[in-house]
Amino acid sequence: MANKTMTRLSVNINKIATLRNARGGNNPDVIKVAMDCERFGAQGITVHPRPDERHIRHSDVLALKKVVTTEFNIEGYPDDRYMKLVREVKPTQATLVPDKPDAITSNAGWNTIEHAGLLKEVISELKKSGIRVSVFVDPDIKMVEGAKKIGADRIELYTEPYASHYPSDKHVAVKSYVAAARVAHEVGLGINAGHDLDLNNLKFLKQSLPHLDEVSIGHALISDALYFGLENTIQLYLKQLKA
């Protein structure tokens, strides 16, 4: 059996910012929550600042730069606004997503062949700043191979289809992800995953993808924290990743 990679849990704190912004003021405190997530065992913090600042704000990202001691991951579409912010902050990782500015959430991966020119240029620029670059892709072998050709360090597998089909047949749901991850590992790409992962489906994904480097989880984790508390919830997710 293939050696298992230790999979890091990166907590996406966008929903904390959404809650804060709904009322104004600074409750909950996004920066404190990020620090608490790390204190409770999370190995990374993820944010996805959007142009309308409907959750994470530009100022949040700058403040987080000063306090995050684990891996800081900034997701976004690589427009001028995003590139300027990431170059200034220099996070551990930049995750490139093909979202339109008005997208509610990420809902598809890059076509790494069709957009190879744009992505190759962006990835080269980010790597010059010492930033690891991950490209959001569907579990499609051609898209994985395309990510390697344009110079990405990692891929992030878009797991909404897996999560949707998991209840009916988890083995069928994970099949394309296993194939994509195998190719990624063979060509030297790191493997991340994210979107709709939760306490029900995370363990099986980890068991199926032995070389999974990182999962980014926000909505489900924050929702679970309403019932279990943030510290306990993070421990519950970490337990799934150690299975």
Side-chain angles (χ1 to χ4, degrees):
M1 185 175 179
N3 293 328
K4 289 187 177 182
T5 298
M6 189 206 78
T7 305
R8 291 175 175 269
L9 171 65
S10 186
V11 177
N12 186 319
I13 59 172
N14 281 5
K15 285 297 185 295
I16 299 297
T18 301
L19 186 58
R20 174 199 62 189
N21 296 352
R23 188 67 181 264
N26 193 41
N27 186 23
D29 184 331
V30 170
I31 309 307
K32 182 179 184 302
V33 170
M35 295 170 69
D36 286 339
C37 286
E38 292 184 316
R39 185 162 59 88
F40 297 152
Q43 297 118 338
I45 298 296
T46 291
V47 295
H48 188 152
R50 295 182 182 273
D52 61 6
E53 297 199 326
R54 64 178 179 269
H55 36 64
I56 289 292
R57 299 168 180 158
H58 185 100
S59 58
D60 293 329
V61 180
L62 298 180
L64 286 164
K65 169 185 168 60
K66 299 176 182 178
V67 301
V68 172
T69 59
T70 58
E71 295 200 347
F72 193 19
N73 174 41
I74 304 179
E75 299 180 348
Y77 180 82
D79 55 12
D80 291 342
R81 172 198 61 90
Y82 175 85
M83 293 296 288
K84 180 179 179 181
L85 177 62
V86 172
R87 283 196 301 266
E88 180 178 357
V89 174
K90 290 185 172 60
T92 313
Q93 178 175 266
T95 299
L96 307 180
V97 297
D99 294 1
K100 294 180 180 178
D102 60 348
I104 294 175
T105 185
S106 302
N107 56 19
W110 284 99
N111 184 323
T112 56
I113 299 170
E114 182 178 330
H115 299 285
L118 165 68
L119 291 170
K120 188 173 184 178
E121 182 178 341
V122 166
I123 290 169
S124 176
E125 185 174 344
L126 291 172
K127 289 173 78 168
K128 286 177 183 176
S129 296
I131 301 166
R132 184 175 73 225
V133 184
S134 178
V135 176
F136 199 61
V137 297
D138 297 316
D140 181 318
I141 290 173
K142 289 184 179 179
M143 296 305 111
V144 173
E145 292 172 340
K148 176 64 176 180
K149 290 177 182 177
I150 57 178
D153 299 299
R154 292 187 182 183
I155 54 166
E156 178 174 336
L157 292 169
Y158 171 51
T159 49
E160 191 275 334
Y162 162 74
S164 295
H165 294 100
Y166 178 87
S168 58
D169 192 328
K170 62 184 181 181
H171 296 283
V172 171
V174 83
K175 187 175 181 180
S176 62
Y177 292 87
V178 172
R182 183 180 297 117
V183 171
H185 181 67
E186 287 172 354
V187 300
L189 287 169
I191 305 163
N192 298 343
H195 206 92
D196 286 356
L197 296 175
D198 60 26
L199 289 174
N200 295 314
N201 58 42
L202 181 58
K203 181 177 179 179
F204 185 70
L205 183 76
K206 166 58 181 173
Q207 290 175 335
S208 302
L209 308 183
H211 300 292
L212 184 61
D213 290 291
E214 174 188 296
V215 291
S216 175
I217 305 178
H219 184 84
L221 189 151
I222 301 305
S223 297
D224 288 334
L226 295 174
Y227 291 92
F228 305 130
L230 184 59
E231 181 173 7
N232 190 38
T233 297
I234 288 175
Q235 291 303 310
L236 289 170
Y237 274 86
L238 290 171
K239 185 177 180 180
Q240 306 307 307
L241 294 171
K242 292 175 182 176

PDB file of all heavy atoms in Angstrom, residues 176-198:
ATOM      1  N   SER A 176     -13.028   9.087  -9.857  1.00  0.00           N
ATOM      2  CA  SER A 176     -12.293  10.027 -10.710  1.00  0.00           C
ATOM      3  C   SER A 176     -11.234  10.786  -9.915  1.00  0.00           C
ATOM      4  O   SER A 176     -10.196  11.183 -10.458  1.00  0.00           O
ATOM      5  CB  SER A 176     -13.243  11.003 -11.391  1.00  0.00           C
ATOM      6  OG  SER A 176     -13.933  11.791 -10.439  1.00  0.00           O
ATOM      7  N   TYR A 177     -11.472  10.966  -8.627  1.00  0.00           N
ATOM      8  CA  TYR A 177     -10.510  11.664  -7.767  1.00  0.00           C
ATOM      9  C   TYR A 177      -9.278  10.796  -7.525  1.00  0.00           C
ATOM     10  O   TYR A 177      -8.151  11.295  -7.488  1.00  0.00           O
ATOM     11  CB  TYR A 177     -11.181  12.049  -6.441  1.00  0.00           C
ATOM     12  CG  TYR A 177     -12.233  13.106  -6.624  1.00  0.00           C
ATOM     13  CD1 TYR A 177     -13.540  12.743  -6.942  1.00  0.00           C
ATOM     14  CD2 TYR A 177     -11.921  14.455  -6.536  1.00  0.00           C
ATOM     15  CE1 TYR A 177     -14.517  13.704  -7.145  1.00  0.00           C
ATOM     16  CE2 TYR A 177     -12.884  15.427  -6.732  1.00  0.00           C
ATOM     17  CZ  TYR A 177     -14.177  15.047  -7.047  1.00  0.00           C
ATOM     18  OH  TYR A 177     -15.131  16.012  -7.268  1.00  0.00           O
ATOM     19  N   VAL A 178      -9.508   9.517  -7.353  1.00  0.00           N
ATOM     20  CA  VAL A 178      -8.381   8.583  -7.184  1.00  0.00           C
ATOM     21  C   VAL A 178      -7.491   8.606  -8.426  1.00  0.00           C
ATOM     22  O   VAL A 178      -6.262   8.678  -8.335  1.00  0.00           O
ATOM     23  CB  VAL A 178      -8.904   7.155  -6.917  1.00  0.00           C
ATOM     24  CG1 VAL A 178      -7.750   6.153  -6.942  1.00  0.00           C
ATOM     25  CG2 VAL A 178      -9.628   7.094  -5.579  1.00  0.00           C
ATOM     26  N   ALA A 179      -8.121   8.565  -9.605  1.00  0.00           N
ATOM     27  CA  ALA A 179      -7.364   8.568 -10.861  1.00  0.00           C
ATOM     28  C   ALA A 179      -6.595   9.873 -11.038  1.00  0.00           C
ATOM     29  O   ALA A 179      -5.409   9.877 -11.413  1.00  0.00           O
ATOM     30  CB  ALA A 179      -8.312   8.349 -12.037  1.00  0.00           C
ATOM     31  N   ALA A 180      -7.259  10.994 -10.755  1.00  0.00           N
ATOM     32  CA  ALA A 180      -6.611  12.306 -10.913  1.00  0.00           C
ATOM     33  C   ALA A 180      -5.463  12.467  -9.927  1.00  0.00           C
ATOM     34  O   ALA A 180      -4.382  12.975 -10.272  1.00  0.00           O
ATOM     35  CB  ALA A 180      -7.644  13.420 -10.717  1.00  0.00           C
ATOM     36  N   ALA A 181      -5.677  12.031  -8.680  1.00  0.00           N
ATOM     37  CA  ALA A 181      -4.638  12.150  -7.661  1.00  0.00           C
ATOM     38  C   ALA A 181      -3.438  11.267  -7.978  1.00  0.00           C
ATOM     39  O   ALA A 181      -2.290  11.645  -7.724  1.00  0.00           O
ATOM     40  CB  ALA A 181      -5.217  11.794  -6.293  1.00  0.00           C
ATOM     41  N   ARG A 182      -3.701  10.102  -8.538  1.00  0.00           N
ATOM     42  CA  ARG A 182      -2.605   9.202  -8.900  1.00  0.00           C
ATOM     43  C   ARG A 182      -1.703   9.844  -9.948  1.00  0.00           C
ATOM     44  O   ARG A 182      -0.469   9.821  -9.832  1.00  0.00           O
ATOM     45  CB  ARG A 182      -3.169   7.881  -9.424  1.00  0.00           C
ATOM     46  CG  ARG A 182      -2.077   6.849  -9.748  1.00  0.00           C
ATOM     47  CD  ARG A 182      -2.661   5.553 -10.258  1.00  0.00           C
ATOM     48  NE  ARG A 182      -3.495   4.890  -9.267  1.00  0.00           N
ATOM     49  CZ  ARG A 182      -4.787   4.649  -9.397  1.00  0.00           C
ATOM     50  NH1 ARG A 182      -5.417   5.014 -10.511  1.00  0.00           N
ATOM     51  NH2 ARG A 182      -5.464   4.033  -8.446  1.00  0.00           N
ATOM     52  N   VAL A 183      -2.317  10.447 -10.949  1.00  0.00           N
ATOM     53  CA  VAL A 183      -1.547  11.125 -11.998  1.00  0.00           C
ATOM     54  C   VAL A 183      -0.791  12.312 -11.410  1.00  0.00           C
ATOM     55  O   VAL A 183       0.386  12.535 -11.723  1.00  0.00           O
ATOM     56  CB  VAL A 183      -2.472  11.565 -13.149  1.00  0.00           C
ATOM     57  CG1 VAL A 183      -1.718  12.466 -14.121  1.00  0.00           C
ATOM     58  CG2 VAL A 183      -3.016  10.343 -13.878  1.00  0.00           C
ATOM     59  N   ALA A 184      -1.450  13.070 -10.569  1.00  0.00           N
ATOM     60  CA  ALA A 184      -0.800  14.230  -9.959  1.00  0.00           C
ATOM     61  C   ALA A 184       0.449  13.816  -9.184  1.00  0.00           C
ATOM     62  O   ALA A 184       1.514  14.445  -9.305  1.00  0.00           O
ATOM     63  CB  ALA A 184      -1.781  14.956  -9.036  1.00  0.00           C
ATOM     64  N   HIS A 185       0.317  12.760  -8.415  1.00  0.00           N
ATOM     65  CA  HIS A 185       1.459  12.279  -7.628  1.00  0.00           C
ATOM     66  C   HIS A 185       2.580  11.794  -8.545  1.00  0.00           C
ATOM     67  O   HIS A 185       3.763  12.064  -8.297  1.00  0.00           O
ATOM     68  CB  HIS A 185       1.004  11.156  -6.699  1.00  0.00           C
ATOM     69  CG  HIS A 185       2.096  10.620  -5.826  1.00  0.00           C
ATOM     70  ND1 HIS A 185       2.677  11.368  -4.820  1.00  0.00           N
ATOM     71  CD2 HIS A 185       2.721   9.415  -5.807  1.00  0.00           C
ATOM     72  CE1 HIS A 185       3.615  10.654  -4.233  1.00  0.00           C
ATOM     73  NE2 HIS A 185       3.659   9.459  -4.810  1.00  0.00           N
ATOM     74  N   GLU A 186       2.217  11.106  -9.610  1.00  0.00           N
ATOM     75  CA  GLU A 186       3.214  10.574 -10.540  1.00  0.00           C
ATOM     76  C   GLU A 186       4.011  11.678 -11.231  1.00  0.00           C
ATOM     77  O   GLU A 186       5.202  11.506 -11.503  1.00  0.00           O
ATOM     78  CB  GLU A 186       2.529   9.698 -11.590  1.00  0.00           C
ATOM     79  CG  GLU A 186       2.053   8.351 -11.044  1.00  0.00           C
ATOM     80  CD  GLU A 186       1.217   7.576 -12.046  1.00  0.00           C
ATOM     81  OE1 GLU A 186       0.912   8.130 -13.133  1.00  0.00           O
ATOM     82  OE2 GLU A 186       0.856   6.413 -11.756  1.00  0.00           O
ATOM     83  N   VAL A 187       3.366  12.821 -11.518  1.00  0.00           N
ATOM     84  CA  VAL A 187       4.061  13.905 -12.216  1.00  0.00           C
ATOM     85  C   VAL A 187       4.672  14.924 -11.254  1.00  0.00           C
ATOM     86  O   VAL A 187       5.257  15.916 -11.680  1.00  0.00           O
ATOM     87  CB  VAL A 187       3.135  14.622 -13.225  1.00  0.00           C
ATOM     88  CG1 VAL A 187       2.624  13.644 -14.272  1.00  0.00           C
ATOM     89  CG2 VAL A 187       1.974  15.327 -12.527  1.00  0.00           C
ATOM     90  N   GLY A 188       4.540  14.670  -9.954  1.00  0.00           N
ATOM     91  CA  GLY A 188       5.207  15.522  -8.976  1.00  0.00           C
ATOM     92  C   GLY A 188       4.408  16.701  -8.467  1.00  0.00           C
ATOM     93  O   GLY A 188       4.987  17.632  -7.893  1.00  0.00           O
ATOM     94  N   LEU A 189       3.099  16.671  -8.642  1.00  0.00           N
ATOM     95  CA  LEU A 189       2.255  17.744  -8.116  1.00  0.00           C
ATOM     96  C   LEU A 189       1.767  17.389  -6.715  1.00  0.00           C
ATOM     97  O   LEU A 189       1.407  16.247  -6.444  1.00  0.00           O
ATOM     98  CB  LEU A 189       1.022  17.951  -9.012  1.00  0.00           C
ATOM     99  CG  LEU A 189       1.236  18.619 -10.367  1.00  0.00           C
ATOM    100  CD1 LEU A 189      -0.032  18.492 -11.207  1.00  0.00           C
ATOM    101  CD2 LEU A 189       1.607  20.094 -10.191  1.00  0.00           C
ATOM    102  N   GLY A 190       1.738  18.390  -5.828  1.00  0.00           N
ATOM    103  CA  GLY A 190       1.096  18.198  -4.542  1.00  0.00           C
ATOM    104  C   GLY A 190      -0.408  18.155  -4.741  1.00  0.00           C
ATOM    105  O   GLY A 190      -0.923  18.653  -5.757  1.00  0.00           O
ATOM    106  N   ILE A 191      -1.126  17.592  -3.775  1.00  0.00           N
ATOM    107  CA  ILE A 191      -2.567  17.394  -3.924  1.00  0.00           C
ATOM    108  C   ILE A 191      -3.316  18.004  -2.745  1.00  0.00           C
ATOM    109  O   ILE A 191      -3.140  17.587  -1.595  1.00  0.00           O
ATOM    110  CB  ILE A 191      -2.908  15.892  -4.024  1.00  0.00           C
ATOM    111  CG1 ILE A 191      -2.118  15.239  -5.161  1.00  0.00           C
ATOM    112  CG2 ILE A 191      -4.413  15.698  -4.225  1.00  0.00           C
ATOM    113  CD1 ILE A 191      -2.072  13.726  -5.075  1.00  0.00           C
ATOM    114  N   ASN A 192      -4.150  18.994  -3.052  1.00  0.00           N
ATOM    115  CA  ASN A 192      -5.068  19.578  -2.084  1.00  0.00           C
ATOM    116  C   ASN A 192      -6.491  19.236  -2.505  1.00  0.00           C
ATOM    117  O   ASN A 192      -6.726  18.791  -3.634  1.00  0.00           O
ATOM    118  CB  ASN A 192      -4.909  21.109  -2.028  1.00  0.00           C
ATOM    119  CG  ASN A 192      -3.527  21.543  -1.576  1.00  0.00           C
ATOM    120  OD1 ASN A 192      -2.772  20.758  -1.004  1.00  0.00           O
ATOM    121  ND2 ASN A 192      -3.197  22.794  -1.826  1.00  0.00           N
ATOM    122  N   ALA A 193      -7.438  19.456  -1.619  1.00  0.00           N
ATOM    123  CA  ALA A 193      -8.837  19.205  -1.952  1.00  0.00           C
ATOM    124  C   ALA A 193      -9.725  20.139  -1.150  1.00  0.00           C
ATOM    125  O   ALA A 193      -9.389  20.521  -0.021  1.00  0.00           O
ATOM    126  CB  ALA A 193      -9.216  17.755  -1.674  1.00  0.00           C
ATOM    127  N   GLY A 194     -10.859  20.502  -1.736  1.00  0.00           N
ATOM    128  CA  GLY A 194     -11.774  21.350  -1.003  1.00  0.00           C
ATOM    129  C   GLY A 194     -13.099  21.563  -1.698  1.00  0.00           C
ATOM    130  O   GLY A 194     -13.191  21.464  -2.916  1.00  0.00           O
ATOM    131  N   HIS A 195     -14.097  21.837  -0.935  1.00  0.00           N
ATOM    132  CA  HIS A 195     -15.467  22.195  -1.294  1.00  0.00           C
ATOM    133  C   HIS A 195     -16.436  21.106  -0.844  1.00  0.00           C
ATOM    134  O   HIS A 195     -16.385  19.979  -1.330  1.00  0.00           O
ATOM    135  CB  HIS A 195     -15.645  22.447  -2.797  1.00  0.00           C
ATOM    136  CG  HIS A 195     -16.797  23.386  -3.061  1.00  0.00           C
ATOM    137  ND1 HIS A 195     -16.643  24.755  -3.159  1.00  0.00           N
ATOM    138  CD2 HIS A 195     -18.116  23.163  -3.200  1.00  0.00           C
ATOM    139  CE1 HIS A 195     -17.809  25.325  -3.380  1.00  0.00           C
ATOM    140  NE2 HIS A 195     -18.726  24.380  -3.389  1.00  0.00           N
ATOM    141  N   ASP A 196     -17.281  21.472   0.105  1.00  0.00           N
ATOM    142  CA  ASP A 196     -18.335  20.601   0.649  1.00  0.00           C
ATOM    143  C   ASP A 196     -17.810  19.370   1.372  1.00  0.00           C
ATOM    144  O   ASP A 196     -18.544  18.392   1.554  1.00  0.00           O
ATOM    145  CB  ASP A 196     -19.315  20.186  -0.453  1.00  0.00           C
ATOM    146  CG  ASP A 196     -20.237  21.328  -0.862  1.00  0.00           C
ATOM    147  OD1 ASP A 196     -20.162  22.405  -0.231  1.00  0.00           O
ATOM    148  OD2 ASP A 196     -21.021  21.155  -1.802  1.00  0.00           O
ATOM    149  N   LEU A 197     -16.565  19.396   1.793  1.00  0.00           N
ATOM    150  CA  LEU A 197     -16.053  18.318   2.633  1.00  0.00           C
ATOM    151  C   LEU A 197     -16.573  18.511   4.056  1.00  0.00           C
ATOM    152  O   LEU A 197     -16.674  19.643   4.538  1.00  0.00           O
ATOM    153  CB  LEU A 197     -14.527  18.294   2.619  1.00  0.00           C
ATOM    154  CG  LEU A 197     -13.891  17.992   1.261  1.00  0.00           C
ATOM    155  CD1 LEU A 197     -12.372  18.110   1.345  1.00  0.00           C
ATOM    156  CD2 LEU A 197     -14.299  16.614   0.761  1.00  0.00           C
ATOM    157  N   ASP A 198     -16.918  17.412   4.720  1.00  0.00           N
ATOM    158  CA  ASP A 198     -17.478  17.505   6.065  1.00  0.00           C
ATOM    159  C   ASP A 198     -17.130  16.264   6.879  1.00  0.00           C
ATOM    160  O   ASP A 198     -16.368  15.400   6.423  1.00  0.00           O
ATOM    161  CB  ASP A 198     -18.994  17.735   6.009  1.00  0.00           C
ATOM    162  CG  ASP A 198     -19.757  16.616   5.299  1.00  0.00           C
ATOM    163  OD1 ASP A 198     -19.268  15.469   5.276  1.00  0.00           O
ATOM    164  OD2 ASP A 198     -20.853  16.891   4.773  1.00  0.00           O
TER     165      ASP A 198
END
